[in-house]
């Protein structure tokens, strides 16, 4: 009985820690993407990303779940505050300037698309 209770508590604690870990990882990745929208030049982006990583690493050893929750929530609100109004879109992604420029992987349009309609012949 004691072992099963202890095992259930440890599993529950591990799931809470895992959830916080995933949340922090997602926050870090989204922060880097947001930073890339604001920093156009690569050297500036690298310098700012090193500073951001240092901020994340500063709180890496935090064990108190309440403090972690407070830090992550503050980071998420800061991320929402600094969200870029016109995010960067890769040229080949949907909405990019080269989206569907070369359909069929560069093989061109199919014959059904390029065929001359019969009412023109």
């Amino acid at each position: 009985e004691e072992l099963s209770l202890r095992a259930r508590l440890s599993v529950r604690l591990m799931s809470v820690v895992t959830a916080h870990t995933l949340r922090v990882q997602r926050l870090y990745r989204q922060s880097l993407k947001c930073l890339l929208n604001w920093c156009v030049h690569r050297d500036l982006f690298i310098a700012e990303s090193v500073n951001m990583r240092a901020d994340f690493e500063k709180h890496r050893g935090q064990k108190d779940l309440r403090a972690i929750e407070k830090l992550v929530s503050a980071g998420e609100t800061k991320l929402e505050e600094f969200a870029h109004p016109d995010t960067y879109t890769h040229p080949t992604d949907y909405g990019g300037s080269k989206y569907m420029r070369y359909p069929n992987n560069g093989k061109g349009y199919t014959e059904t698309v390029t065929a001359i309609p019969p009412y023109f012949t």
Side-chain angles (χ1 to χ4, degrees), residues 27-119:
L27 176 64
Y28 180 68
R29 182 157 191 231
Q30 290 172 352
S31 300
L32 283 177
K33 287 182 178 184
C34 180
L35 183 64
L36 189 58
N37 288 327
W38 288 103
C39 297
V40 180
H41 301 289
R42 200 62 156 171
D43 54 344
L44 181 62
F45 169 75
I46 290 172
E48 289 297 321
S49 65
V50 167
N51 292 338
M52 186 188 313
R53 180 67 185 203
D55 289 341
F56 274 83
E57 289 291 331
K58 183 170 50 175
H59 301 290
R60 185 178 196 144
Q62 187 67 257
K63 299 292 184 196
D64 184 19
L65 293 178
R66 289 186 197 133
I68 292 172
E69 174 64 31
K70 196 179 283 188
L71 288 168
V72 172
S73 296
E76 288 171 344
T77 56
K78 188 175 180 181
L79 180 66
E80 288 177 11
E81 180 184 330
F82 285 105
H84 199 282
D86 186 25
T87 59
Y88 178 74
T89 304
H90 289 279
T92 53
D93 287 349
Y94 178 77
S97 60
K98 291 185 178 181
Y99 179 69
M100 289 295 291
R101 184 174 287 182
Y102 298 109
N104 289 334
N105 295 327
K107 297 176 186 172
Y109 293 101
T110 59
E111 287 185 26
T112 57
V113 174
T114 58
I116 299 173
Y119 51 84

Side-chain angles (χ1 to χ4, degrees), residues 9-28:
L9 286 176
S10 67
V11 168
R12 188 170 182 196
L13 181 63
M14 283 177 47
S15 66
V16 169
V17 171
T18 304
H20 277 297
T21 304
L22 287 174
R23 200 165 156 208
V24 170
Q25 288 172 348
R26 288 181 184 144
L27 176 64
Y28 180 68

